[in-house]
Amino acid sequence: LAKTTQPISMDSYEGQEVNITCSHNNIATNDYITWYQQFPSQGPRFIIQGYKTKVTNEVASLFIPADRKSSTLSLPRVSLSDTAVYYCLVGPFNQAGTALIFGKGTTLSVSS
Amino acid sequence: EAGVTQFPSHSVIEKGQTVTLRCDPISGHDNLYWYRRVMGKEIKFLLHFVKESKQDESGMPNNRFLAERTGGTYSTLKVQPAELEDSGVYFCASSQDVAGTSTDTQYFGPGTRLTVL
């Protein structure tokens, strides 16, 4: 699976938009990009997944440039409850049974 | 719909003892995964079941770990005998294999925190 690189930590204030960029230079043609969120004492939670261009759901947006070597998770108007670790994962997630490979993730701290 | 549940939430045992962790996946999910995070490390894949069959156990650290999923429903992960380095949080996840879909979302349980003294 493609290796990913993302910032270790980010700080933000309530109401701001937060963009977390992930680099995945060796992404394969059949790889998808998936983001998970993890709160303390909980398991990771799926946020969003995409293959190319832009994907938006009720939680976040995912921007993927044409070369797919990076992606940006955008969280609109964050609140204190968005404080968590965010993981960027790349793999053939269009098929069941793909083991997720987690990196260190990005620890987002939201302050009032 | 109930999510993935794990039992116990915490377990403290002595080195050399045996511990069994249990995971109940989301009803109808054929895929079940075990992961763990040891202190200061990333979450690591252990193994993957499809129904009652082990599809991939490449992440199992050694033969002290035994995972089962009899009947293709809940799964157990037994550590025997436990060692100090087995301490960590063990996560279970499940996913539904739906033909024709483009995603395989894994739903995680809250984890079992294992402490080996």
Side-chain angles (χ1 to χ4, degrees), chain A residues 12-45:
Chain A
S12 182
Y13 291 98
E14 285 188 290
Q16 290 188 327
E17 177 184 77
V18 172
N19 296 307
I20 306 174
T21 296
C22 177
S23 297
H24 27 80
N25 292 315
N26 297 320
I27 190 168
T29 303
N30 61 338
D31 282 345
Y32 284 70
I33 300 154
T34 299
W35 286 79
Y36 277 77
Q37 173 192 57
Q38 186 179 24
F39 299 113
S41 301
Q42 294 186 28
R45 182 178 77 108

Side-chain angles (χ1 to χ4, degrees), chain A residues 25-102:
Chain A
N25 292 315
N26 297 320
I27 190 168
T29 303
N30 61 338
D31 282 345
Y32 284 70
I33 300 154
T34 299
W35 286 79
Y36 277 77
Q37 173 192 57
Q38 186 179 24
F39 299 113
S41 301
Q42 294 186 28
R45 182 178 77 108
F46 172 88
I47 301 178
I48 197 166
Q49 179 174 285
Y51 184 80
K52 61 181 179 180
T53 63
K54 176 184 175 182
V55 179
T56 297
N57 62 22
E58 64 278 5
V59 177
S61 293
L62 178 60
F63 298 92
I64 306 169
D67 66 5
R68 304 201 325 124
K69 293 184 183 299
S70 66
S71 59
T72 299
L73 174 73
S74 181
L75 305 172
R77 298 177 298 282
V78 294
S79 64
L80 297 176
S81 62
D82 291 316
T83 293
V85 180
Y86 293 81
Y87 297 98
C88 166
L89 297 92
V90 171
F93 301 128
N94 58 327
Q95 53 187 281
T98 301
L100 300 181
I101 297 181
F102 290 86

Side-chain angles (χ1 to χ4, degrees), chain B residues 41-59:
Chain B
K41 302 290 187 181
E42 293 88 20
I43 299 172
K44 296 290 188 184
F45 167 79
L46 295 179
L47 88 159
H48 165 227
F49 283 100
V50 175
K51 297 184 180 179
E52 67 276 8
S53 300
K54 293 176 185 175
Q55 288 294 110
D56 180 359
E57 49 185 331
S58 60

Side-chain angles (χ1 to χ4, degrees), chain B residues 7-8 11 19-23 34 75-78 90 112 114:
Chain B
F7 182 84
S11 180
V19 63
T20 299
L21 313 181
R22 172 171 171 145
C23 168
W34 283 97
S75 174
T76 57
L77 179 65
K78 180 190 290 187
Y90 290 76
T112 293
L114 174 65

